[in-house]
Amino acid sequence: MLAPLTFFEARCEDKDTLRKLIALANDRSRRKQAHALFYDIRNKTLAAQKRDDQLGVAQYAFEEICAKTLYNLTREPAPFDPDAPFWVLPLALKLARMLGIKNAGLISPLLKSE
């Protein structure tokens, strides 16, 4: 998950929550904070939906799923949906397409084609 987060941090205009997610991904002791961060990102998603900002919606959907995944890794109470990790790469690909990125291998080593 760190590879796509870092990739998009360099390419998205709104970097704030991407940077926070990167910090949480790099520091296991702080990952519980991903629960609250999810709700901060959710507010961004709702605002982007209201203004019909499809790129913002795609970015924040990706960020939301990363926050859910990071929080679930803590095994704390009140986990998010257990399928969250499976949505990280599909939502990363959607965001990449919206940014005009055609080479999926740039986003994550898991997406390199032969």
Side-chain angles (χ1 to χ4, degrees):
M1 176 184 340
L2 189 55
L5 283 168
T6 304
F7 179 83
F8 291 124
E9 190 267 336
R11 288 162 179 83
C12 290
E13 193 172 311
D14 181 0
K15 301 174 185 308
D16 180 55
T17 44
L18 284 166
R19 287 179 177 156
K20 289 176 182 177
L21 287 163
I22 291 167
L24 295 180
N26 281 316
D27 186 351
R28 287 182 178 182
S29 70
R30 295 180 46 218
R31 287 187 184 161
K32 285 194 313 190
Q33 297 172 19
H35 199 275
L37 182 57
F38 166 80
Y39 291 103
D40 292 343
I41 298 165
R42 171 56 72 169
N43 288 330
K44 288 181 168 189
T45 303
L46 295 173
Q49 288 172 336
K50 277 187 180 180
R51 64 178 183 271
D52 197 31
D53 173 5
Q54 295 306 306
L55 178 58
V57 170
Q59 177 182 342
Y60 304 135
F62 168 71
E63 291 183 15
E64 283 183 17
I65 212 67
C66 290
K68 287 179 174 184
T69 299
L70 287 170
Y71 180 74
N72 284 0
L73 288 171
T74 68
R75 303 204 186 275
E76 289 287 321
F80 292 104
D81 297 327
D83 68 341
F86 298 103
W87 290 101
V88 172
L89 289 177
L91 290 173
L93 288 170
K94 180 176 182 177
L95 177 54
R97 281 192 303 273
M98 294 194 77
L99 289 169
I101 298 36
K102 294 182 172 95
N103 182 352
L106 296 173
I107 300 164
S108 170
L110 297 174
L111 298 171
K112 292 216 186 256
S113 58
E114 295 300 314

